């Protein structure tokens, strides 16, 4: 399902690429809340949790609904600044109603809680608390605190973020800045010399410019639309990988936080092609054979009592999916399984094939 950002009439210079300390801190907090989403950072998450003071660890957990399943919109700034303190000051400038509504959307789920303000409308307040209660006692307590005393809750969240910066973010950010800066230079160079389409192609295979160049289309679960009236901002992230996060709610500047990857991510279509190829029992049998040693078509046919044309058809499917490599030796072509490509689909699958 596509998420569409209308950019018709938006000046080219208002399509921006910028790093955000607050957005990267939010990505790190998401890793701490959901380390299973980020295997490459699992060791880092374990070390951070082990090093946090118990009080700070509890405060991170009590507010984790702001960054666990979805990020609160105010944590992904439409106008990124170089310093975390400046971005937190911008968050402080948001009125309580806007802040609370954004925070409760994260706490209560992706569905907007109601049409009224949860701070002043009794029905909206009750709806917010019901939704938070359904998500667990921690979310219920957080929602109750925010609705009862928004000023104190906001101050506590800011203090938690500042303590996280001192505990682990500041040192990590210093090491991340060169990588983010290099990515920004590449994107800005593409934007300047080749246009927005080329820059978006370099962001992710899930981000594209519509044929009429009037909309940015993002492959997300939501089927939603928003408009970039003033600007649209793309924020690179190291710790956000593999997620693609989009701020699209009405009243907020559209923001896309995209992963900076060491290698280009495999498009979803290729993953589907590979899973389809492996779903056939005969092809899976051939894959398990090729995982042990290279074979020719005739060898595979003999081993499994199949005809050579039948084996060739199955091998062709596996090759189109990028799961095989070939090597010619004289008049023979030997097929081998591409283990790195297979392992990228998952360790359980690899273990099953190699069993």
């Amino acid at each position: 399902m596509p998420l569409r950002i209308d950019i018709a009439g938006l000046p080219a210079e208002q399509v921006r690429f910028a790093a955000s300390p607050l957005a990267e801190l939010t990505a790190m907090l998401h890793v701490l809340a959901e380390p299973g989403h980020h295997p490459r950072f699992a060791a880092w998450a374990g070390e951070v949790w082990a090093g946090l003071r118990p009080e700070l660890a509890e405060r991170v957990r009590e507010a984790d609904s702001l960054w666990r399943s979805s990020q609160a919109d105010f944590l992904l700034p439409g106008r990124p600044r170089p310093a975390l303190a400046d971005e937190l000051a911008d968050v402080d400038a948001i009125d309580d109603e806007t802040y609370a509504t954004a925070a409760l959307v994260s706490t209560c789920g992706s569905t907007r809680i109601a049409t009224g303000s949860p701070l002043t409308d009794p029905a909206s307040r009750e709806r917010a608390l019901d939704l938070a209660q359904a998500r667990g006692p921690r979310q219920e307590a957080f929602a109750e605190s925010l609705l009862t005393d928004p000023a104190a809750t906001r101050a506590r969240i800011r203090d938690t973020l500042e303590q996280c910066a001192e505990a682990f973010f500041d040192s990590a950010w210093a090491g991340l800045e060169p990588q983010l800066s290099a990515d920004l230079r590449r994107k800005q160079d593409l934007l300047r010399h080749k246009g927005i389409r080329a820059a978006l192609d370099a962001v992710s295979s899930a981000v594209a410019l519509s044929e009429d160049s009037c909309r940015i289309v993002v492959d997300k679960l939501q089927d939603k639309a928003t408009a970039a009236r003033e600007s649209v901002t793309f924020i690179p992230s190291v710790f956000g990988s593999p997620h693609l996060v989009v701020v699209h709610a009405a009243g907020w500047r559209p923001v896309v936080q995209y992963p900076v990857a060491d290698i280009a991510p495999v498009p979803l279509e290729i993953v589907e092609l590979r899973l389809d190829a492996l779903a056939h029992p005969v092809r899976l049998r051939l894959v398990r054979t090729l995982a042990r040693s290279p074979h020719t078509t005739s060898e595979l046919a003999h081993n499994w009592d199949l005809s050579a044309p039948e084996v060739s058809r199955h091998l062709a499917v596996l090759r189109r999916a990028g799961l095989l490599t070939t090597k010619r030796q004289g008049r023979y072509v030997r097929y081998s399984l591409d283990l790195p490509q297979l392992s990228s689909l998952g360790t359980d699958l690899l273990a099953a094939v190699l069993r």
Side-chain angles (χ1 to χ4, degrees), residues 6-18:
D6 186 351
I7 58 170
L10 187 72
E13 62 271 16
Q14 296 307 313
V15 177
R16 301 170 177 168
F17 286 83

Side-chain angles (χ1 to χ4, degrees), residues 288 292 339 342-343 346-355:
R288 295 186 69 180
R292 285 147 179 80
L339 287 175
L342 185 71
S343 65
T347 54
D348 288 344
L349 174 62
L350 181 63
V353 167
L354 295 176
R355 187 177 306 136

